[in-house]
Short mmCIF file of all heavy atoms in Angstrom, two decimals:
data_model
loop_
_atom_site.label_atom_id
_atom_site.label_comp_id
_atom_site.label_asym_id
_atom_site.label_seq_id
_atom_site.Cartn_x
_atom_site.Cartn_y
_atom_site.Cartn_z
N GLU A 311 -6.61 6.71 2.35
CA GLU A 311 -6.66 5.76 1.23
C GLU A 311 -7.61 4.60 1.57
O GLU A 311 -7.53 4.03 2.66
CB GLU A 311 -5.26 5.22 0.96
CG GLU A 311 -5.15 4.42 -0.32
CD GLU A 311 -3.74 3.92 -0.61
OE1 GLU A 311 -2.86 4.00 0.28
OE2 GLU A 311 -3.52 3.44 -1.73
N THR A 312 -8.49 4.28 0.65
CA THR A 312 -9.47 3.21 0.86
C THR A 312 -9.43 2.27 -0.35
O THR A 312 -8.84 2.62 -1.37
CB THR A 312 -10.90 3.76 0.95
OG1 THR A 312 -11.17 4.46 -0.28
CG2 THR A 312 -11.07 4.68 2.14
N ILE A 313 -10.08 1.12 -0.23
CA ILE A 313 -10.39 0.37 -1.45
C ILE A 313 -11.85 -0.08 -1.40
O ILE A 313 -12.47 -0.08 -0.32
CB ILE A 313 -9.46 -0.85 -1.69
CG1 ILE A 313 -9.57 -1.87 -0.57
CG2 ILE A 313 -8.03 -0.45 -1.90
CD1 ILE A 313 -8.96 -3.21 -0.96
N LEU A 314 -12.37 -0.42 -2.55
CA LEU A 314 -13.75 -0.90 -2.64
C LEU A 314 -13.70 -2.37 -3.07
O LEU A 314 -13.22 -2.69 -4.15
CB LEU A 314 -14.55 -0.09 -3.68
CG LEU A 314 -14.56 1.43 -3.48
CD1 LEU A 314 -15.42 2.09 -4.57
CD2 LEU A 314 -15.07 1.83 -2.10
N SER A 315 -14.19 -3.25 -2.19
CA SER A 315 -14.20 -4.68 -2.53
C SER A 315 -15.62 -5.21 -2.41
O SER A 315 -16.06 -5.49 -1.32
CB SER A 315 -13.31 -5.46 -1.58
OG SER A 315 -11.98 -5.04 -1.67
N TRP A 316 -16.38 -5.29 -3.48
CA TRP A 316 -16.01 -4.96 -4.81
C TRP A 316 -17.14 -4.12 -5.36
O TRP A 316 -18.32 -4.45 -5.13
CB TRP A 316 -15.84 -6.24 -5.63
CG TRP A 316 -14.66 -7.05 -5.11
CD1 TRP A 316 -13.39 -7.02 -5.62
CD2 TRP A 316 -14.61 -7.97 -4.02
NE1 TRP A 316 -12.57 -7.89 -4.90
CE2 TRP A 316 -13.30 -8.48 -3.91
CE3 TRP A 316 -15.58 -8.42 -3.08
CZ2 TRP A 316 -12.91 -9.39 -2.93
CZ3 TRP A 316 -15.17 -9.33 -2.11
CH2 TRP A 316 -13.84 -9.80 -2.05
N PRO A 317 -16.85 -3.05 -6.10
CA PRO A 317 -17.90 -2.12 -6.54
C PRO A 317 -18.84 -2.75 -7.57
O PRO A 317 -19.96 -2.28 -7.75
CB PRO A 317 -17.12 -0.96 -7.14
CG PRO A 317 -15.76 -1.48 -7.42
CD PRO A 317 -15.50 -2.60 -6.47
N LYS A 318 -18.39 -3.77 -8.25
CA LYS A 318 -19.23 -4.49 -9.21
C LYS A 318 -19.09 -5.97 -8.90
O LYS A 318 -17.98 -6.51 -8.96
CB LYS A 318 -18.75 -4.16 -10.63
CG LYS A 318 -19.55 -4.77 -11.75
CD LYS A 318 -19.10 -4.11 -13.05
CE LYS A 318 -19.60 -4.86 -14.26
NZ LYS A 318 -19.25 -4.14 -15.50
N PRO A 319 -20.19 -6.65 -8.56
CA PRO A 319 -20.05 -8.06 -8.18
C PRO A 319 -19.54 -8.92 -9.34
O PRO A 319 -19.75 -8.57 -10.51
CB PRO A 319 -21.47 -8.48 -7.80
CG PRO A 319 -22.36 -7.31 -7.99
CD PRO A 319 -21.57 -6.16 -8.52
N ASN A 320 -18.90 -10.01 -9.02
CA ASN A 320 -18.37 -10.90 -10.06
C ASN A 320 -19.42 -11.27 -11.09
O ASN A 320 -19.15 -11.31 -12.29
CB ASN A 320 -17.81 -12.18 -9.42
CG ASN A 320 -16.48 -11.94 -8.73
OD1 ASN A 320 -15.55 -11.39 -9.34
ND2 ASN A 320 -16.38 -12.31 -7.46
N HIS A 321 -20.66 -11.53 -10.62
CA HIS A 321 -21.68 -12.02 -11.55
C HIS A 321 -22.26 -10.90 -12.42
O HIS A 321 -23.14 -11.16 -13.25
CB HIS A 321 -22.79 -12.78 -10.80
CG HIS A 321 -23.61 -11.93 -9.89
ND1 HIS A 321 -23.16 -11.52 -8.67
CD2 HIS A 321 -24.86 -11.42 -10.01
CE1 HIS A 321 -24.09 -10.79 -8.08
NE2 HIS A 321 -25.14 -10.71 -8.87
N HIS A 322 -21.79 -9.68 -12.27
CA HIS A 322 -22.20 -8.59 -13.17
C HIS A 322 -21.16 -8.28 -14.24
O HIS A 322 -21.33 -7.36 -15.03
CB HIS A 322 -22.51 -7.32 -12.37
CG HIS A 322 -23.86 -7.37 -11.70
ND1 HIS A 322 -24.40 -6.32 -11.00
CD2 HIS A 322 -24.79 -8.36 -11.63
CE1 HIS A 322 -25.59 -6.66 -10.52
NE2 HIS A 322 -25.85 -7.89 -10.88
N HIS A 323 -20.07 -9.03 -14.26
CA HIS A 323 -19.07 -8.85 -15.33
C HIS A 323 -19.43 -9.81 -16.46
O HIS A 323 -19.24 -11.03 -16.31
CB HIS A 323 -17.66 -9.16 -14.80
CG HIS A 323 -17.14 -8.15 -13.83
ND1 HIS A 323 -16.38 -7.07 -14.20
CD2 HIS A 323 -17.30 -8.05 -12.48
CE1 HIS A 323 -16.08 -6.34 -13.12
NE2 HIS A 323 -16.62 -6.92 -12.07
N PRO A 324 -19.92 -9.29 -17.58
CA PRO A 324 -20.40 -10.18 -18.65
C PRO A 324 -19.38 -11.21 -19.12
O PRO A 324 -19.74 -12.34 -19.43
CB PRO A 324 -20.76 -9.21 -19.79
CG PRO A 324 -20.96 -7.89 -19.12
CD PRO A 324 -20.07 -7.88 -17.91
N ALA A 325 -18.11 -10.85 -19.11
CA ALA A 325 -17.07 -11.76 -19.64
C ALA A 325 -17.00 -13.07 -18.83
O ALA A 325 -16.49 -14.07 -19.33
CB ALA A 325 -15.71 -11.07 -19.63
N LEU A 326 -17.49 -13.04 -17.60
CA LEU A 326 -17.38 -14.25 -16.76
C LEU A 326 -18.54 -15.21 -16.97
O LEU A 326 -18.53 -16.34 -16.45
CB LEU A 326 -17.28 -13.87 -15.28
CG LEU A 326 -16.14 -12.91 -14.89
CD1 LEU A 326 -16.05 -12.78 -13.37
CD2 LEU A 326 -14.80 -13.37 -15.45
N GLY A 327 -19.56 -14.77 -17.70
CA GLY A 327 -20.66 -15.68 -18.03
C GLY A 327 -21.52 -16.07 -16.84
O GLY A 327 -22.06 -17.19 -16.79
N LEU A 328 -21.68 -15.20 -15.87
CA LEU A 328 -22.42 -15.53 -14.65
C LEU A 328 -23.62 -14.61 -14.43
O LEU A 328 -24.18 -14.57 -13.33
CB LEU A 328 -21.48 -15.43 -13.44
CG LEU A 328 -20.20 -16.28 -13.49
CD1 LEU A 328 -19.20 -15.81 -12.44
CD2 LEU A 328 -20.52 -17.76 -13.31
N THR A 329 -24.01 -13.88 -15.50
CA THR A 329 -25.01 -12.81 -15.30
C THR A 329 -26.41 -13.34 -14.99
O THR A 329 -27.28 -12.57 -14.62
CB THR A 329 -25.08 -11.87 -16.53
OG1 THR A 329 -25.21 -12.69 -17.69
CG2 THR A 329 -23.83 -11.02 -16.66
N LYS A 330 -26.61 -14.66 -15.13
CA LYS A 330 -27.94 -15.18 -14.82
C LYS A 330 -28.24 -15.18 -13.31
O LYS A 330 -29.40 -15.27 -12.91
CB LYS A 330 -28.09 -16.60 -15.36
CG LYS A 330 -27.20 -17.60 -14.63
CD LYS A 330 -27.49 -19.04 -15.06
CE LYS A 330 -26.63 -19.97 -14.26
NZ LYS A 330 -26.16 -21.13 -14.94
N PHE A 331 -27.22 -15.07 -12.50
CA PHE A 331 -27.46 -15.10 -11.04
C PHE A 331 -28.03 -13.78 -10.56
O PHE A 331 -27.60 -12.71 -11.01
CB PHE A 331 -26.17 -15.43 -10.29
CG PHE A 331 -25.69 -16.83 -10.53
CD1 PHE A 331 -24.64 -17.08 -11.41
CD2 PHE A 331 -26.31 -17.90 -9.91
CE1 PHE A 331 -24.22 -18.37 -11.67
CE2 PHE A 331 -25.88 -19.20 -10.16
CZ PHE A 331 -24.84 -19.44 -11.04
N LYS A 332 -29.04 -13.87 -9.67
CA LYS A 332 -29.63 -12.67 -9.07
C LYS A 332 -29.40 -12.76 -7.57
O LYS A 332 -29.96 -13.64 -6.91
CB LYS A 332 -31.14 -12.60 -9.35
CG LYS A 332 -31.48 -12.59 -10.83
CD LYS A 332 -31.38 -11.17 -11.42
CE LYS A 332 -31.63 -11.18 -12.93
NZ LYS A 332 -30.44 -11.59 -13.73
N LEU A 333 -28.57 -11.89 -7.05
CA LEU A 333 -28.14 -11.99 -5.65
C LEU A 333 -28.28 -10.63 -4.97
O LEU A 333 -27.33 -9.85 -4.89
CB LEU A 333 -26.68 -12.48 -5.60
CG LEU A 333 -26.41 -13.79 -6.39
CD1 LEU A 333 -24.92 -14.04 -6.57
CD2 LEU A 333 -27.07 -14.98 -5.70
N PRO A 334 -29.50 -10.33 -4.49
CA PRO A 334 -29.79 -8.96 -4.03
C PRO A 334 -28.91 -8.46 -2.89
O PRO A 334 -28.53 -7.29 -2.89
CB PRO A 334 -31.26 -9.04 -3.57
CG PRO A 334 -31.66 -10.48 -3.61
CD PRO A 334 -30.68 -11.20 -4.48
N VAL A 335 -28.55 -9.33 -1.94
CA VAL A 335 -27.71 -8.83 -0.82
C VAL A 335 -26.31 -8.48 -1.34
O VAL A 335 -25.77 -7.40 -1.06
CB VAL A 335 -27.64 -9.88 0.32
CG1 VAL A 335 -26.78 -9.35 1.46
CG2 VAL A 335 -29.04 -10.23 0.82
N THR A 336 -25.75 -9.37 -2.14
CA THR A 336 -24.44 -9.11 -2.75
C THR A 336 -24.46 -7.81 -3.55
O THR A 336 -23.54 -6.99 -3.47
CB THR A 336 -24.06 -10.29 -3.69
OG1 THR A 336 -23.99 -11.48 -2.91
CG2 THR A 336 -22.75 -10.06 -4.39
N GLU A 337 -25.54 -7.63 -4.33
CA GLU A 337 -25.62 -6.44 -5.19
C GLU A 337 -25.70 -5.16 -4.36
O GLU A 337 -25.06 -4.16 -4.68
CB GLU A 337 -26.82 -6.58 -6.15
CG GLU A 337 -26.52 -7.63 -7.24
CD GLU A 337 -27.75 -8.32 -7.81
OE1 GLU A 337 -28.86 -7.74 -7.71
OE2 GLU A 337 -27.61 -9.45 -8.34
N LYS A 338 -26.45 -5.23 -3.27
CA LYS A 338 -26.56 -4.05 -2.40
C LYS A 338 -25.22 -3.77 -1.72
O LYS A 338 -24.77 -2.62 -1.64
CB LYS A 338 -27.65 -4.29 -1.35
CG LYS A 338 -27.70 -3.21 -0.31
CD LYS A 338 -29.09 -2.87 0.17
CE LYS A 338 -29.06 -1.51 0.84
NZ LYS A 338 -29.67 -1.47 2.13
N ILE A 339 -24.58 -4.82 -1.25
CA ILE A 339 -23.27 -4.65 -0.58
C ILE A 339 -22.28 -3.98 -1.54
O ILE A 339 -21.56 -3.06 -1.16
CB ILE A 339 -22.75 -6.02 -0.08
CG1 ILE A 339 -23.52 -6.44 1.18
CG2 ILE A 339 -21.26 -5.97 0.21
CD1 ILE A 339 -23.25 -7.85 1.66
N SER A 340 -22.29 -4.41 -2.79
CA SER A 340 -21.35 -3.84 -3.77
C SER A 340 -21.54 -2.33 -3.97
O SER A 340 -20.59 -1.64 -4.28
CB SER A 340 -21.50 -4.54 -5.12
OG SER A 340 -21.15 -5.89 -4.99
#
Side-chain angles (χ1 to χ4, degrees):
E311 190 179 11
T312 59
I313 62 165
L314 306 181
S315 299
W316 294 264
K318 182 169 167 175
N320 285 308
H321 66 283
H322 282 184
H323 290 268
L326 304 188
L328 304 165
T329 50
K330 68 173 182 215
F331 293 102
K332 301 277 176 280
L333 307 167
V335 180
T336 299
E337 287 153 23
K338 172 144 198 230
I339 285 172
S340 296

